[in-house]
Amino acid sequence: MTISESGASAVFGALADPTRRRLLSAIAEQPATATELAGDLPISRQAVVKHLSALADAGLLERERAGREVRYRVTPAPLSDAVSWIAEVGAQWDARLASLARTLDAGNRS
Amino acid sequence: MVDRIERELLLPAPPEEVWEVVTGPGWLADEVALELFPGGDARFSSNGEPKSGWVEEVLAPGTTEGGGGRLAFWWGTDGDPATRVELTLKPDGDAATRLRVVEARPLELLDLVGIPLPGTSGPSYGPAMLMAA
C-alpha cells in the first residue's frame, strides 16, 4: 500500500458524511471559524468542531489562529493524491495494454 | 473528471481472442480468479499483493449482437475503497478489436464539493503510441 492510496482513503472517509461535505464546501468558499459555521447550520458548535476535526485529520483543512478562535481553510495538498492515483493506476494500464498488444501482435504474425 | 482513467487501443485480433486474454491468467494481475457472471467473485494477486472484488457485468463476445463484449468489475485492496473497471470490446473490421478500458474511483465527492483539483489541465499520462495505435 502506498502512502498516496491510504491518504485518499482517509479523504473518502471524511467526505462520506453530507454535513462534512457541506462544511467543506462552505470553507472552500471562505475560510471560517466553528462559531461562524455553526450559525449557518442546524447543529451545535460542538458538533461542527467534531466534523472539522475529521476533515482536518484527513488533511482537507488547515487550522489557523484567529484571536481566541481557530479559523479553518481548505488545503489543496491531499487532493494531489488524485493525481498520483491517476499516474500510478494509469501506468499499470499502460503496461497491461502494451503487453496485450505484444501478445496479440506476435500471436497473429506467426 | 480526474478520478477516471481511460485508454483505448486497437488490437490485431478478433474480440473473442482478446476476451480470452484479458479475462485469462496473467493479464489483469499475475494471478486472476474471475467468476464470469454478475455477482461473481473476483480475486487477484500481483507481486504478492492481493486484490478482491466482484463482477458486475459480463457480456462475452459472440453472445452479443454486433459481436462486441463488455466486462465490468470492482476491485480493491483491504481497507481501501474499491474502484470500478470496465473493459469494452468492439470489433473493428474482420480481425481487429477496439478495446476501451475505464477505471474509476468514487472521487466524485471531491467534484461535488466544488474543489478544484490540481493538475487537471496537465498532459494526459501514458505512451502516445498506445493512444495512436
Side-chain angles (χ1 to χ4, degrees):
Chain A
M1 216 53 328
T2 65
I3 290 160
S4 76
E5 276 169 307
S6 57
S9 185
V11 171
F12 294 136
L15 290 176
D17 183 283
T19 306
R20 286 203 282 271
R21 292 202 295 273
R22 199 168 152 188
L23 285 168
L24 187 61
S25 184
I27 295 165
E29 268 175 40
Q30 195 182 348
T33 64
T35 308
E36 289 163 358
L37 292 161
D40 295 333
L41 287 168
I43 53 173
S44 70
R45 184 186 173 280
Q46 199 183 353
V48 168
V49 168
K50 213 173 139 195
H51 285 306
L52 293 176
S53 294
L55 290 166
D57 288 348
L60 289 162
L61 294 181
E62 286 172 352
R63 298 177 174 95
E64 64 176 17
R65 280 259 149 235
R68 298 179 60 183
E69 278 237 69
V70 174
R71 177 163 285 124
Y72 292 83
R73 63 172 67 247
V74 168
T75 164
L79 301 185
S80 64
D81 269 1
V83 176
S84 35
W85 180 81
I86 296 276
E88 190 179 325
V89 178
Q92 290 167 7
W93 281 112
D94 289 332
R96 282 189 200 106
L97 291 174
S99 95
L100 183 64
R102 277 196 303 273
T103 305
L104 293 171
D105 215 19
N108 286 276
R109 231 179 253 158
S110 57
Chain B
M1 294 275 290
V2 75
D3 59 321
R4 194 179 154 90
I5 288 156
E6 221 173 319
R7 298 286 191 274
E8 206 174 294
L9 180 62
L10 187 63
L11 293 158
E16 290 82 355
E17 201 180 327
V18 175
W19 180 264
E20 287 296 315
V21 180
V22 299
T23 59
W27 191 67
L28 284 166
D30 294 346
E31 291 168 49
V32 178
L34 268 177
E35 295 182 340
L36 286 175
F37 53 85
D41 256 357
R43 296 188 180 283
F44 311 89
S45 177
S46 281
N47 305 319
E49 274 196 28
K51 264 184 165 180
S52 60
W54 58 282
V55 176
E56 181 187 305
E57 189 184 16
V58 179
L59 285 172
T63 66
T64 60
E65 217 173 303
R70 183 160 65 239
L71 173 68
F73 63 91
W74 292 72
W75 64 3
T77 317
D78 273 354
D80 276 321
T83 61
R84 182 179 187 271
V85 177
E86 188 176 291
L87 305 173
T88 312
L89 288 71
K90 275 196 187 135
D92 190 300
D94 278 344
T97 302
R98 195 162 284 279
L99 171 69
R100 188 164 160 269
V101 173
V102 178
E103 178 158 0
R105 63 177 189 174
L107 202 67
E108 294 95 308
L109 289 171
L110 294 180
D111 277 354
L112 240 166
V113 298
I115 297 167
L117 293 163
T120 49
S121 56
S124 60
Y125 295 90
M129 50 152 284
L130 287 177
M131 306 308 289

